[in-house]
Amino acid sequence: MRYVVTCFLERDELCSFIIYGGSIHEASVTFEKTLKVASPLNDYVELSDGKQVKVGSILAYRIDEVKPLF
């Protein structure tokens, strides 16, 4: 299943991207693990469009299910 992650960044910026997982819990755990392993000072999360977001700039995030069209 697909889930959209919306990150709330410093300076009132937002970024959104898609992650995949068997359930919303699995996707959330995987994303949280990625953030915990990364160094907040010098590691980045690379998004599918090539944009890099500094881990330390992510203030909060939200994960929502992408509902199928059919």
Side-chain angles (χ1 to χ4, degrees):
M1 298 204 58
R2 294 183 332 157
Y3 303 93
V4 64
V5 178
T6 304
C7 292
F8 303 92
L9 309 174
E10 298 173 333
R11 292 174 283 216
D12 295 327
E13 294 179 70
L14 291 176
C15 76
S16 297
F17 53 93
I18 301 291
I19 60 173
Y20 297 90
S23 67
I24 195 163
H25 175 72
E26 181 183 304
S28 177
V29 168
T30 301
F31 184 65
E32 288 173 8
K33 246 189 242 183
T34 301
L35 294 179
K36 285 180 184 176
V37 169
S39 167
L41 298 177
N42 52 355
D43 279 344
Y44 292 83
V45 175
E46 187 167 338
L47 308 181
S48 56
D49 64 358
K51 181 180 177 182
Q52 291 186 332
V53 176
K54 190 172 184 177
V55 172
S57 71
I58 299 173
L59 302 176
Y61 64 91
R62 172 186 173 129
I63 300 176
D64 297 299
E65 185 177 343
V66 176
K67 299 286 186 188
L69 295 175
F70 299 88

